[in-house]
Amino acid sequence: MKTHLLTITAGAALIASTAMADEVRVYNWSDYIDEELLTKFEEETGIDLIYDVFDSNELLETKMLAGGSGYDVVVPTGTFLQRQIQAGAFQKLDQSKLSNIGNLWDVIKDRTAQYDPDNAYSINYMWGTTGIGVNLGKVTELLGPDAPIASLDLVFNPENMEKLAECGVHFLDAPTEMIPAALAYKGLEPDRKDEEALAAAEEVLSAVRPHVRKFHSSEYINALANGDICVAFGWSGDILQARDRAAEAENGVEIAYNAPVEGALMWFDQMAIPVDAPNPEAAHVFLDFILDAQNMAQASNYVYYANGNEASKEFLVEDVIGDTAIYPDEATLEKLYTVTPFPPREQRNLTRMWTRVKSGT
Ligand code: N2P
């Protein structure tokens, strides 16, 4: 009897593990892939892909630190990845299962090693900048032909914002990106986290708060494209996607993206495998699929973000590889800064401050 029971259990376990081997759960940012690639992955590998999206590092981090997310692949930004690695949230990659790992670009690997030493836990998916998206027609109508569309003055000078409020402004709901921008506007080091710096950033943000229609990190793509808002402080590729959606709609809306002349944040979104991923084997298959030069190029060509894959470059369309807003030239690179993660105490100050800013208190 006992033996029989054991046999059944072993059989059930075998069925369960076979079923799992056919499924991979990926949690990525919204508007961040060409969905054709998702179908292609399933067709090529026979693995079922469950693909969910998010638009906030904080939300992803809550899931990673709680554990049991059920995801096999997630995509935190470098700064968040770093503290989640330290918290033990990820497993080391098995490079022997990544036949395309050699496609990675050394220049980007060097930069991401700042967050993930030796790139032991992650591969770069995309990287980009945080900056200013404008509806050219509306902004020049309200502020004149010399509107500072490439300057932080557009979004942090209350006089400009008072006028722009009429046509609608969205800010990212991403304090770790909005605060460095406010510091750069004040001429301060964007990576400062001390109380004095946070107070200075809060002053900048609170002064324009009454003129911000919404703090949200994904709605601005369609809102810009439809003409519902005229300015978004957001992510480079998202704003370029808004530009294309408007052009396709032929609605007369013309969108432009600029990295602020005062300096712009350069960030890196990294694919990693949670320590408790149900199917790490399939996670590696997914990562290797993404590391394929043509697949990676197809993703970048669709979402207008640069990637960390050197071999993909020959497959990038000129609109992407030739656009310095996506692949910066030396002069643009000099204006870009990177930041480090907030330690726990500073993080608590930041969270409280961000709640005050958003609620307008
Ligand atoms: C994609 C946004 C990704 C950039 N919609 C945020 N790191």
Side-chain angles (χ1 to χ4, degrees):
M1 193 62 194
K2 212 175 172 192
T3 321
H4 186 59
L5 239 172
L6 271 176
T7 316
I8 292 171
T9 313
L14 188 69
I15 291 164
S17 77
T18 322
M20 261 180 12
D22 291 325
E23 183 176 292
V24 65
R25 292 174 180 259
V26 176
Y27 197 39
N28 197 359
W29 293 82
S30 50
D31 300 287
Y32 220 21
I33 201 154
D34 177 352
E35 287 184 8
E36 266 182 25
L37 283 168
L38 307 181
T39 322
K40 186 180 173 206
F41 172 81
E42 290 192 319
E43 282 167 7
E44 264 182 19
T45 65
I47 299 172
D48 282 336
L49 173 59
I50 293 150
Y51 189 87
D52 294 336
V53 297
F54 61 90
D55 67 2
S56 145
N57 267 310
E58 287 79 5
L59 183 78
L60 171 61
E61 182 160 271
T62 305
K63 287 190 203 280
M64 287 305 106
L65 298 183
S69 68
Y71 288 111
D72 298 299
V73 175
V74 297
V75 194
T77 301
T79 42
F80 285 81
L81 171 85
Q82 185 174 345
R83 59 186 192 189
Q84 289 159 29
I85 291 174
Q86 283 158 5
F90 297 114
Q91 54 184 279
K92 282 198 175 162
L93 301 179
D94 180 347
Q95 302 226 351
S96 72
K97 293 183 177 145
L98 301 174
S99 64
N100 295 318
I101 192 95
N103 288 343
L104 288 178
W105 183 9
D106 284 348
V107 173
I108 300 303
K109 269 172 79 177
D110 283 352
R111 294 200 175 219
T112 59
Q114 181 192 339
Y115 306 107
D116 172 11
D118 299 327
N119 293 287
Y121 291 88
S122 68
I123 60 160
N124 179 250
Y125 178 57
M126 305 262 183
W127 52 278
T129 57
T130 309
I132 308 165
V134 293
N135 176 321
L136 283 169
K138 285 204 176 152
V139 169
T140 51
E141 184 187 312
L142 289 169
L143 295 183
D146 296 330
I149 60 165
S151 167
L152 293 172
D153 209 50
L154 188 84
V155 289
F156 291 143
N157 180 336
E159 281 177 30
N160 290 331
M161 283 291 282
E162 204 181 328
K163 295 179 189 144
L164 295 169
E166 187 185 312
C167 60
V169 179
H170 279 194
F171 278 5
L172 288 175
D173 187 6
T176 58
E177 305 199 27
M178 295 307 300
I179 288 160
L183 292 173
Y185 177 63
K186 287 296 249 184
L188 299 171
E189 158 60 42
D191 198 25
R192 274 182 64 178
K193 296 168 166 58
D194 56 284
E195 288 183 27
E196 194 190 332
L198 285 190
E202 181 167 4
E203 205 179 299
V204 171
L205 293 161
S206 301
V208 295
R209 168 66 187 100
H211 313 301
V212 177
R213 188 177 292 174
K214 201 170 202 175
F215 289 83
H216 198 282
S217 300
S218 50
E219 275 183 25
Y220 63 95
I221 306 182
N222 278 333
L224 269 179
N226 298 339
D228 291 340
I229 60 171
C230 60
V231 174
F233 199 82
W235 292 308
S236 45
D238 287 13
I239 290 160
L240 296 170
Q241 288 175 57
R243 177 195 66 187
D244 270 25
R245 287 185 203 177
E248 270 160 34
E250 296 185 24
N251 59 3
V253 171
E254 199 187 334
I255 304 294
Y257 173 76
N258 282 288
V261 290
E262 294 86 350
L265 174 67
M266 182 187 199
W267 43 257
F268 303 86
D269 289 340
Q270 299 291 110
M271 287 194 161
I273 306 178
V275 67
D276 56 2
N279 196 349
E281 194 66 33
H284 283 88
V285 176
F286 184 81
L287 293 189
D288 209 34
F289 176 85
I290 288 295
L291 283 166
D292 174 84
Q294 296 200 37
N295 292 342
M296 198 60 242
Q298 188 175 334
S300 280
N301 286 338
Y302 192 86
V303 298
Y304 293 103
Y305 284 101
N307 65 60
N309 189 308
E310 176 135 48
S312 79
K313 285 188 191 167
E314 65 170 299
F315 304 110
L316 293 173
V317 293
E318 190 49 34
D319 245 16
V320 169
I321 188 102
D323 186 342
T324 57
I326 306 174
Y327 279 87
D329 52 12
E330 281 305 314
T332 318
L333 256 183
E334 269 176 30
K335 293 191 316 190
L336 306 181
Y337 58 82
T338 56
V339 292
T340 58
F342 272 73
R345 202 171 78 92
E346 286 78 0
Q347 176 65 43
R348 281 193 295 279
N349 292 338
L350 166 136
T351 306
R352 281 196 289 267
M353 180 272 240
W354 192 242
T355 306
R356 285 194 299 273
V357 167
K358 284 202 293 181
S359 65
T361 53

